[in-house]
């Protein structure tokens, strides 16, 4: 099997080790027994996409590896996670290194992105082969891990400051100058996220943190800012795709409107937009307030607890029905259609939280109100809440036990042990089905939509994977399952009856797991010549 992945961190965990060796691994047995019995910490901490695991695909691997410098607040919150490792393994999450990031003694661009991350890839060319335009001339050689680069957050280009606010900004010129230094070295950077988990002066971000104190990661801004438009234009001028992941919904909408000529800025010769490691809300933005179980101002943000739709229009099975994560880090229906209509690409995340899966042992499954419904918690800045014009007459309209997942039903699902593995897979199937159906409703034929989605696992980005799919080796099994069972899944859903027979599942699986990404990267590299 050939394997493509849009967004991966195959050496991120190793980079936080005191030794810094790219072949170091973290196993489940390195997590303390107590925690491994009662949390998902082992699945999050253990290696998910180590080079030895990628050797499972001898026919060839092509993937986007992430150049990312950990933000200061996140580094501070990661330090306590060391306690979950056994004493003999705590050197693999170096406290001195994390503290240097917090203090900005370890510079994001020079020290971490260039001299630690990029250098590790280039120095290990026997493992990682950086693609060039010539790489695609006769097809990618097998038995190689072929890589291109994506940059997660423009803070990773900045040495001068490691946080914004109180008069501090991420300087546009510094970002662009450092990007140009990499391009001058012929480093193939295909995509850049404008922001990540922490407040940026370029644009507002979507809340998206777990395992830590959420307050340092609250979004306080309001959509795209002038500096953000300037950086986006600099990316377009250099033939680089902005990646929408981690931008707030309003930031994403602002950028799309600017590209369409209806926004607050004018963009010239824009590139297609990507969302390299996405999940879907399952609804349009106009439907969003209907599924709010709670919306309450808490200081500078609005706390929103989103119920989880059972998609009853599909007439799904009453047992172990998959659900979406309906928070704003995920794409709404109109955004899916826009990306495809404008020639972009979506990578599907393998983070089970992003894909909407919860189990009864997750923290705060029923939110602050300790109610009957399972919820996902979001935080929206007050300025964005005001500007988005949310129709509160729809508030809670569809939050009832016929349409949303209840705590009781979740516990019943967990007890159906014979269907557990199917339940996990069905969350992925639900996303694939929703993607295809959303495109059809927008007038995009299957022949087109099946060419604009791929895998963007985010493995080893501290994601929470499904326990039956804890790493990249399991993608081969997932592909087999798509080929054997996806059409059967569609045949049971009433709203797929009119189109599922037209889907060539074998072709769709080949596109999803390799061909779409390969074609997209090949075209990108050919434009660089």
């Amino acid at each position: 099997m050939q394997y493509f992945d849009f967004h991966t961190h195959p050496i991120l965990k190793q980079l936080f080790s005191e030794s810094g060796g790219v072949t170091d691994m973290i196993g489940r047995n390195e997590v303390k027994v107590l925690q491994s019995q009662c949390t998902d910490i082992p699945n999050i901490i253990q290696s998910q996409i180590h080079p030895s695991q990628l050797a499972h695909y001898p026919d060839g691997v092509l993937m986007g590896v992430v150049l990312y410098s950990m933000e200061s607040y996140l580094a501070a919150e990661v330090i306590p996670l060391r306690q979950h490792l056994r004493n003999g393994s705590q050197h693999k999450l170096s406290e001195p290194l994390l503290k240097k990031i917090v203090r900005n003694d370890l510079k994001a661009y020079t020290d971490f992105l260039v001299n630690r991350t990029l250098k590790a890839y280039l120095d290990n060319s026997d493992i990682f082969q950086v693609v060039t335009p010539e790489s695609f001339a006769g097809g990618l050689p097998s038995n190689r891990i072929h890589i291109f680069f994506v940059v997660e957050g423009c803070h990773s280009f900045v040495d001068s400051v490691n946080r914004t606010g109180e008069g501090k900004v991420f300087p546009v010129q510094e970002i662009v100058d450092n990007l140009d230094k990499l391009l001058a070295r012929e480093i193939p950077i295909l995509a850049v996220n404008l922001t990540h988990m922490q407040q940026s002066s370029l644009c507002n971000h979507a809340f998206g943190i777990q395992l830590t104190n959420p307050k340092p990661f609250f979004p306080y801004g309001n959509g795209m800012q002038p500096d953000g438009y300037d950086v986006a234009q600099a990316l377009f001028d250099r033939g680089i795709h902005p990646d929408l992941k981690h931008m707030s919904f309003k930031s994403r909408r602002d950028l799309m409107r600017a590209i369409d000529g209806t926004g607050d800025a004018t963009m010239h010769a824009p590139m297609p937009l990507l969302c390299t490691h996405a999940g879907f809300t399952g609804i349009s933005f106009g439907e969003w307030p209907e599924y709010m179980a709670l919306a309450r101002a808490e200081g500078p943000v609005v706390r929103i607890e989103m119920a989880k739709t059972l998609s009853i229009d599909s007439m799904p099975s009453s047992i172990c029905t998959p659900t979406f994560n309906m928070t704003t880090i995920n794409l709404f229906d109109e955004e899916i259609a826009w990306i495809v209509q404008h020639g972009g690409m979506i990578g599907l995340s393998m983070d089970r939280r992003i894909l909407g899966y919860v189990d009864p042992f997750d923290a705060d499954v029923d939110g602050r109100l300790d109610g009957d419904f399972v919820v996902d918690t979001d935080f929206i800045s007050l300025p964005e809440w005001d500007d988005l014009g949310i129709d509160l007459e729809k508030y809670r309209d569809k939050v009832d036990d016929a349409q949303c997942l209840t705590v009781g039903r979740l516990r019943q699902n967990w007890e159906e042990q014979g269907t557990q593995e199917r339940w996990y897979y069905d969350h992925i199937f639900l996303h694939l089905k929703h993607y295809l159906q959303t495109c059809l409703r927008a007038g995009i034929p299957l022949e087109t939509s099946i060419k604009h989605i791929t895998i963007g696992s985010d493995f080893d980005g501290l994601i929470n994977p499904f326990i039956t799919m804890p790493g990249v080796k399991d993608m081969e099994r997932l592909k087999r399952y798509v080929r054997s069972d996806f059409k059967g899944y569609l045949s049971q859903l009433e709203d797929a009856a009119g189109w599922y027979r037209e889907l060539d599942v074998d072709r769709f699986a080949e596109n999803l797991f390799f061909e779409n990404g390969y074609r997209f990267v090949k075209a990108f590299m050919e434009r660089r010549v």
Side-chain angles (χ1 to χ4, degrees):
M1 170 180 162
Q2 293 176 299
Y3 179 65
F4 177 87
D5 202 320
F6 226 161
H7 188 97
T8 68
H9 299 262
I11 67 170
L12 178 63
K13 288 173 181 171
Q14 297 92 304
L15 293 173
F16 289 99
S17 168
E18 290 173 9
S19 68
V22 300
T23 57
D24 290 351
M25 289 191 74
I26 300 178
R28 292 177 63 87
N29 61 350
E30 297 181 77
V31 180
K32 291 180 180 177
V33 173
L34 177 62
Q35 281 78 13
S36 67
Q37 289 176 339
C38 62
T39 78
D40 285 321
I41 288 291
N43 289 332
I44 295 170
I45 291 183
Q46 71 175 345
S47 295
Q48 300 165 352
I49 191 167
H50 187 271
S52 66
Q53 296 166 320
L54 288 163
H56 188 67
Y57 301 104
D59 293 334
V61 172
L62 174 62
M63 62 188 192
V65 299
V66 178
L67 299 176
Y68 162 69
S69 302
M70 184 173 280
E71 296 100 315
S72 57
Y73 292 140
L74 187 55
E77 296 295 330
V78 167
I79 291 171
L81 294 181
R82 299 178 74 252
Q83 67 182 309
H84 298 298
L85 290 173
R86 295 180 185 274
N87 291 339
S89 297
Q90 290 190 2
H91 68 280
K92 294 186 177 182
L93 198 56
S94 170
E95 184 171 5
L97 179 70
L98 292 166
K99 286 182 174 179
K100 286 181 181 179
I101 295 172
V102 174
R103 298 191 301 263
N104 203 26
D105 291 340
L106 192 82
K107 302 300 184 183
Y109 175 74
T110 300
D111 296 329
F112 205 91
L113 188 150
V114 175
N115 293 334
R116 198 168 181 91
T117 310
L118 180 61
K119 185 177 185 297
Y121 285 115
L122 301 182
D123 285 353
N124 287 274
S125 57
D126 57 326
I127 301 173
F128 301 104
Q129 187 165 347
V130 179
V131 295
T132 67
E134 292 73 29
S135 301
F136 297 87
L140 292 178
S142 59
N143 293 308
R144 291 288 188 277
I145 301 173
H146 303 275
I147 63 172
F148 59 93
F149 295 98
V150 295
V151 179
E152 190 155 36
C154 285
H155 69 280
S156 298
F157 291 115
V158 177
D159 284 345
S160 57
V161 296
N162 68 348
R163 63 189 67 181
T164 62
E166 298 179 345
K168 296 180 179 180
V169 299
F170 294 138
V172 172
Q173 196 59 54
E174 185 177 1
I175 292 169
V176 175
D177 287 348
N178 286 335
L179 170 61
D180 284 341
K181 291 175 185 176
L182 296 178
L183 298 179
R185 295 174 59 184
E186 300 295 327
I187 303 300
I189 296 175
L190 184 142
V192 174
N193 297 92
L194 293 184
T195 189
H196 191 232
M197 295 287 195
Q198 193 167 303
Q199 194 63 57
S200 170
S201 53
L202 304 183
C203 68
N204 204 27
H205 64 288
F207 178 78
I209 199 71
Q210 60 176 339
L211 297 176
T212 69
N213 172 22
K215 288 186 179 180
F217 308 98
F218 284 168
Y220 300 121
N222 189 4
M224 288 288 292
Q225 298 301 303
D227 283 357
Y229 288 120
D230 288 345
V231 171
Q233 186 60 61
L235 297 178
F236 294 150
D237 293 344
R238 289 155 179 79
I240 296 172
H241 302 271
D243 185 348
L244 295 170
K245 183 63 185 278
H246 297 296
M247 296 170 68
S248 70
F249 170 72
K250 186 171 185 296
S251 296
R252 301 192 303 259
R253 190 177 72 177
D254 285 350
L255 184 56
M256 291 176 180
R257 287 180 173 177
I259 289 171
D260 285 341
T262 60
D264 296 331
T266 301
M267 311 305 295
H268 303 285
M271 298 289 291
L273 301 185
L274 314 177
C275 197
T276 60
H277 48 303
F280 307 140
T281 62
I283 54 173
S284 67
F285 183 72
E287 298 172 89
W288 194 50
E290 298 174 349
Y291 294 95
M292 290 179 182
L294 172 71
R296 181 172 66 195
E298 295 187 358
V301 295
V302 179
R303 180 190 183 96
I304 300 168
E305 295 180 355
M306 294 299 302
K308 301 177 77 66
T309 175
L310 295 171
S311 305
I312 60 173
D313 291 344
S314 294
M315 299 298 289
S317 167
S318 60
I319 299 174
C320 292
T321 306
T323 55
F324 294 99
N325 177 336
M326 304 172 80
T327 63
T328 53
I329 197 170
N330 283 343
L331 295 175
F332 290 93
D333 290 359
E334 55 266 46
E335 297 178 292
I336 296 171
W338 191 98
I339 291 170
V340 175
Q341 288 165 339
H342 289 72
M345 187 72 72
I346 295 171
L348 189 64
S349 172
M350 290 294 114
D351 188 334
R352 58 98 153 168
R353 180 181 63 94
I354 291 295
L355 294 180
Y357 172 83
V358 294
D359 66 41
F361 309 107
D362 288 343
D364 298 324
V365 293
D366 54 354
R368 278 286 173 87
L369 297 182
D370 296 324
D372 295 330
F373 296 96
V374 179
V375 298
D376 294 302
T377 300
D378 203 356
F379 294 94
I380 308 295
S381 71
L382 280 174
E384 286 198 345
W385 176 267
D386 291 339
D387 282 0
L388 286 171
I390 296 164
D391 185 358
L392 289 180
E393 290 188 4
K394 297 180 179 180
Y395 180 56
R396 291 185 61 95
D397 273 2
K398 293 185 178 178
V399 182
D400 59 59
D401 57 11
Q403 300 188 76
C404 295
L405 182 64
T406 64
V407 174
R409 187 165 180 168
L410 176 64
R411 291 174 179 152
Q412 179 184 355
N413 287 351
W414 186 256
E415 292 167 1
E416 295 286 344
Q417 291 295 324
T419 59
Q420 279 292 301
E421 187 168 22
R422 180 61 185 262
W423 189 21
Y424 303 143
Y425 281 122
D426 281 1
H427 279 79
I428 297 172
F429 281 6
L430 176 65
H431 274 71
L432 295 176
K433 176 260 182 184
H434 184 74
Y435 165 80
L436 296 171
Q437 186 130 42
T438 296
C439 288
L440 283 168
R441 288 172 176 164
I444 303 167
L446 283 175
E447 180 66 24
T448 299
S449 64
I450 64 171
K451 298 176 182 177
H452 291 268
I453 188 167
T454 188
I455 300 297
S457 69
D458 203 13
F459 280 139
D460 264 348
L462 292 176
I463 70 165
N464 194 348
F466 292 98
I467 60 173
T468 54
M469 292 174 278
V472 70
K473 290 199 299 185
D474 302 290
M475 293 297 96
E476 183 174 25
R477 188 156 54 98
L478 176 59
K479 181 181 178 182
R480 289 199 304 268
Y481 203 72
V482 169
R483 295 180 68 171
S484 64
D485 284 48
F486 186 45
K487 207 159 198 175
Y489 168 83
L490 294 174
S491 70
Q492 302 172 42
L493 303 180
E494 187 170 292
D495 59 350
W499 59 267
Y500 81 90
R501 293 179 181 86
E502 301 172 26
L503 181 66
D504 182 336
V505 174
D506 288 343
R507 182 183 172 204
F508 177 58
E510 293 302 322
N511 282 353
L512 178 67
F513 286 90
F514 187 74
E515 294 296 336
N516 285 345
Y518 174 84
R519 284 193 298 265
F520 195 84
V521 177
K522 181 174 183 285
F524 170 79
M525 294 303 298
E526 288 173 346
R527 287 194 299 269
R528 289 165 54 91
V529 176

